[in-house]
Amino acid sequence: DAIGRVVINIGNFRRNTTYLLKYDLHHDPHFTPEEAKRGQVTLRLRVEYDDVRKAVEMSFQAPPKCIINCKTQKSFHILKYLKRGPIDLDRASMDSIQVYTSELMSFWLRVCHFLDIMFEVFLWRGRIKVSETRTIWFPIHSLALFMAALICVEHPHLIGPITLLSFSWMLITIDFHNSRHPNPWKRPLMALKYNLGLLLGRSLAAPPHIVPYQGLEEGKKRDQLDEWRGKRINTLIAETAKFFGEIGKINSTKTVNLGFFASEERISWRQALVSSALDVPHMLLKTVCKTARVYVRFINWDGFAANS
């Protein structure tokens, strides 16, 4: 019987390198990571391939579909649980709708985090690290935005190229910061290494040596900081909406539901939907979540997962 499951992203591993890994087993996605733990599993993993250029090119393609046959019904259920989890997200049910709704609502904090960053850019906040213990004030993104705005005003015909250049600028900036995450297991492959792999057919970087629990606590603090920045803008939007609601003297029959912004429980779909009408909202949430997931992974330089 299956006691838990774990999802392993093989894109984080270097070729021809042996890893000794420990993962926490989880079960129910409704629970928090601490509540869903079911012990640990120890794995020895090694990913082998010879052609680096071919491996990089395969990351831009959809992964192949694998068909696994089972002899017994019990083996099928265990395999389905390990592959898809305890909830069948392809079947319309209250549990699947709740999972898709929670995932969709989680993207709101990402939007708030982006808005927080844009506020810093507009306020000319930014520092550059010049040593291990020293930083200097240099808002390079604010300066780039200011120069782009001046060029657009003087030369309106360049608005299109500058817009496309701004997308490249944002993607490179995201890759720059994510590739320097304190936790080495959360660092995506740098864009420079992608290009070198395509041009030279081999990797010039030596395999890194990762000690146990390297950057674990620092990575948690950075993730908590990013989450706090998103919640800060979330609170600002909620308070602003409440303020305008009070000014407009909205009565109880026309009160705006602010639970989307202020509550972690979000919207209770259990009281809003009936069992006979689950197919339409299920398919709608599934399509929206898949589309949003692709764009989020594309922005975070997780190409293989985005193609899947």
Side-chain angles (χ1 to χ4, degrees):
D1 296 334
I3 61 174
R5 60 192 298 269
V6 62
V7 179
I8 302 176
N9 182 9
I10 61 174
N12 290 335
F13 302 103
R14 302 281 179 148
R15 68 182 183 122
N16 304 330
T17 303
T18 303
Y19 295 90
L20 183 62
L21 309 168
K22 288 186 177 182
Y23 287 97
D24 292 330
L25 294 174
H26 298 279
H27 172 63
D28 197 334
H30 291 106
F31 297 153
T32 62
E34 295 297 330
E35 295 175 338
K37 284 184 178 180
R38 292 196 167 191
Q40 283 188 338
V41 60
T42 302
L43 302 174
R44 186 183 296 274
L45 181 65
R46 181 180 176 89
V47 180
E48 296 185 357
Y49 57 89
D50 297 326
D51 194 341
V52 177
R53 180 184 289 111
K54 187 176 181 180
V56 175
E57 291 176 351
M58 289 182 63
S59 66
F60 299 105
Q61 304 175 4
K65 294 183 178 180
C66 300
I67 300 177
I68 304 177
N69 299 319
C70 301
K71 293 183 178 180
T72 62
Q73 189 74 10
K74 182 178 180 181
S75 299
F76 170 74
H77 287 303
I78 293 177
L79 181 62
K80 186 177 181 181
Y81 164 77
L82 296 176
K83 179 65 175 64
R84 298 184 178 180
I87 299 177
D88 189 359
L89 297 179
D90 292 331
R91 180 182 299 175
S93 64
M94 295 303 302
D95 291 331
S96 62
I97 289 180
Q98 185 176 359
V99 171
Y100 280 128
T101 304
S102 301
E103 180 183 358
L104 189 61
M105 295 301 104
S106 67
F107 293 134
W108 171 247
L109 284 182
R110 296 177 181 267
V111 175
C112 293
H113 188 196
F114 171 76
L115 294 176
D116 184 83
I117 295 175
M118 294 306 299
F119 274 122
E120 292 187 353
V121 172
F122 288 131
L123 295 176
W124 288 75
R125 294 180 180 177
R127 305 189 69 87
I128 292 182
K129 187 177 182 180
V130 295
S131 65
E132 292 296 332
T133 59
R134 185 180 179 184
T135 60
I136 61 175
W137 177 79
F138 187 73
I140 183 172
H141 302 297
S142 303
L143 181 62
L145 179 62
F146 179 72
M147 296 298 297
L150 288 181
I151 295 175
C152 290
V153 172
E154 295 292 336
H155 306 281
H157 63 281
L158 296 178
I159 293 179
I162 291 178
T163 302
L164 297 177
L165 180 62
S166 64
F167 292 150
S168 302
W169 183 281
M170 287 189 292
L171 288 174
I172 293 175
T173 302
I174 292 174
D175 179 66
F176 177 83
H177 288 285
N178 289 347
S179 61
R180 286 158 177 78
H181 195 282
N183 190 343
W185 296 106
K186 293 187 177 182
R187 299 172 187 169
L189 192 61
M190 297 180 62
L192 179 60
K193 295 180 180 179
Y194 269 116
N195 296 332
L196 291 178
L198 288 173
L199 294 176
L200 303 179
R202 59 189 181 91
S203 177
L204 300 180
H209 178 70
I210 302 175
V211 300
Y213 306 104
Q214 176 181 342
L216 181 62
E217 295 299 327
E218 295 82 356
K220 289 182 178 179
K221 291 180 180 179
R222 172 172 167 174
D223 294 338
Q224 290 176 357
L225 177 61
D226 293 341
E227 184 179 359
W228 176 82
R229 294 174 66 179
K231 290 182 177 179
R232 179 174 62 178
I233 299 298
N234 181 32
T235 304
L236 175 63
I237 296 176
E239 293 298 328
T240 304
K242 182 178 180 181
F243 173 75
F244 282 106
E246 292 177 354
I247 292 180
K249 297 180 180 180
I250 302 178
N251 55 40
S252 59
T253 60
K254 298 181 180 179
T255 301
V256 178
N257 187 358
L258 301 178
F260 178 81
F261 302 103
S263 174
E264 293 185 358
E265 296 295 332
R266 310 303 182 192
I267 301 173
S268 178
W269 291 95
R270 293 185 181 276
Q271 290 81 17
L273 298 176
V274 292
S275 58
S276 61
L278 294 179
D279 290 333
V280 174
H282 174 267
M283 294 303 300
L284 178 61
L285 289 172
K286 182 178 179 180
T287 303
V288 174
C289 286
K290 282 188 174 183
T291 305
R293 201 180 302 149
V294 168
Y295 283 106
V296 169
R297 289 172 174 173
F298 172 78
I299 294 173
N300 290 328
W301 292 78
D302 194 0
F304 186 84
N307 289 336
S308 65

